Structures are given as structure tokens and as C-alpha cells.
Amino acid sequence: MVDTKRSNAQRLRDSLEDDIINGRRAPGERLDPEALGREFNVSRTPVREAFQQLVASGLVTVSPKKGTFVAKVGIDQLIEMFEVMAELEGMCGRLAARRISDTELAALKDAHQRCEAAALAGDTDEYYYENEAFHDCIYTASHNTFLASEARQLKQRLKPYRRLQLQVRQRMHNSLHEHQTIVNAIEQGDAAQAQQALCDHVLIQGERFSDFVASVRRMEAPMERTG
């Protein structure tokens, strides 16, 4: 059954993301826009839009006159980006705890409830999208447009890898529990707790670090076997 809630470009991008992060498309592989158009029964425009979104995420690169290729993943750079993302999200949470309006708090709780419904259904794809909405509520509630813009820009770069994390066993349900801690801290106006909870939520450390590296290594394995 076709998911009518997603545009053609979004569905194509999601499929390519899945293929890349699960190793079905190896780093350095060329993406043929005409073949993809035929495979997904879409016109050139959705393919072009999907490519643009994947470039923004850092998953593919465009080489003039050569084409579009799956980008090679750099573990060290990814970890550094997650470290910065954790600080940006933590700052957004700290400001949101001080500045959030009643309407914005209601929107945050509603996003949390949608995440909960997706988690209970075991739907990682739906949780992925509702999780994005949850975090965006916090950016808005920070009432710092520059900070929110920077957070959204880096989040866009990290989207596929945040999605990859959700595929680790129990990560979706653990993420939901962390969301509850974040909501409680913001609602109570506890800026320090909100900041720490969001930093811990985003930062890849401890066992999560090992799981993440193992997942990314699996992405790279097809290229290593064929290189």
C-alpha cells in the first residue's frame, strides 16, 4: 500500500537512505536518475529533489559531468558532528525551559504522544518522523532564531544517521523514555536538567557509541569487499 502521507521525493529519498545506511548501496556507487525514475515510477523532479535532500544530509555527492554518487562515511567526522549537535540541542532545551509558551508546551506534548504511539506500534519509520517534529518543537520554543536555524541545519546533515540509530535494538523505546524526561524538565522550567537531558539524548557515548560504530561499519563493508 502506498503511503500517501509522503511525497514522491520523500519516499524516494527514504528508500535511498535505507539502502545506503544498510549497505545495499556502497560508498562510491553511482546513482542513475533515469533508472531510479523508472524503478519508482516518478518524473525527473522528485528524483532531483531527493538527490538535493541526500546531498544536504551528506549521504551523496555530486561530481560535475560525472553524476551523483554515494558518499563515503567518515566515523570521526560523524562523531564530531553529533557532539556539536548535542550542545546545540542542549542549549535549545535550556532556553525552551525558560521561554516556552503554553501553546508551544502543548505542541511538544502532542509530538511526544505521537512518538509514543509510533513506538507502541513498533513503527521505526513513523517514530523517525515524529521524533523530528518533537525536536523541532524545542527549537521553536527556544525563541532564538539563529540557534534554531543552526540546529536545524546540522540536524538535516545528521538525519540519516539519527535514523540509523533507531534501528538498534531497544533504541526507539529508550529514546521515548528520554523524551519524557525532557518534556518533564521543560514543563517544570528546570533549565539545567533540560539541557543535560537533551545533551545525553543526542550524544553518542558508552554502549550507544559501540552500537553506532558497528552499524556504520556494516554500511562500509560492501565497499571494502568490492574495493
Side-chain angles (χ1 to χ4, degrees), residues 58-89:
L59 271 186
V60 305
T61 58
V62 177
S63 179
K65 298 183 179 180
K66 293 184 178 180
T68 303
F69 299 85
V70 177
K72 184 170 176 56
V73 178
I75 294 280
D76 292 342
Q77 184 182 20
L78 281 175
I79 297 304
E80 290 172 353
M81 291 167 70
F82 269 103
E83 288 177 345
V84 174
M85 188 78 248
E87 294 300 321
L88 291 176
E89 294 244 2

Side-chain angles (χ1 to χ4, degrees), residues 87-157:
E87 294 300 321
L88 291 176
E89 294 244 2
M91 192 180 301
C92 286
R94 176 169 57 83
L95 294 177
R98 292 163 38 190
R99 300 174 177 177
I100 195 166
S101 68
D102 290 341
T103 301
E104 290 164 345
L105 180 59
L108 178 63
K109 288 182 175 181
D110 185 58
H112 177 51
Q113 289 176 353
R114 295 197 304 273
C115 286
E116 183 175 20
L120 290 173
D123 190 337
T124 56
D125 283 340
E126 188 65 19
Y127 186 92
Y128 166 74
Y129 286 105
E130 298 303 349
N131 178 63
E132 294 299 302
F134 176 86
H135 285 268
D136 201 68
C137 286
I138 296 172
Y139 303 158
T140 298
S142 74
H143 291 272
N144 184 312
T145 54
F146 178 78
L147 174 61
S149 176
E150 292 296 302
R152 289 185 177 107
Q153 184 175 357
L154 185 52
K155 182 183 71 171
Q156 180 69 23
R157 290 286 309 277

Side-chain angles (χ1 to χ4, degrees), residues 134-214:
F134 176 86
H135 285 268
D136 201 68
C137 286
I138 296 172
Y139 303 158
T140 298
S142 74
H143 291 272
N144 184 312
T145 54
F146 178 78
L147 174 61
S149 176
E150 292 296 302
R152 289 185 177 107
Q153 184 175 357
L154 185 52
K155 182 183 71 171
Q156 180 69 23
R157 290 286 309 277
L158 288 172
K159 263 187 175 184
Y161 306 103
R162 295 178 78 155
R163 187 177 188 178
L164 177 63
Q165 285 184 282
L166 292 175
Q167 297 179 10
V168 174
R169 189 169 181 267
Q170 293 298 317
R171 179 56 200 152
M172 180 169 60
H173 294 284
N174 290 339
S175 173
L176 182 65
H177 290 311
E178 292 163 13
H179 280 190
Q180 186 63 65
T181 300
I182 292 164
V183 171
N184 291 344
I186 290 176
E187 183 174 20
Q188 294 165 10
D190 190 336
Q193 176 61 22
Q195 179 170 9
Q196 188 61 56
L198 271 156
C199 278
D200 292 343
H201 178 62
V202 175
L203 196 61
I204 300 176
Q205 55 190 342
E207 292 181 353
R208 283 178 61 195
F209 175 81
S210 299
D211 290 339
F212 181 73
V213 171

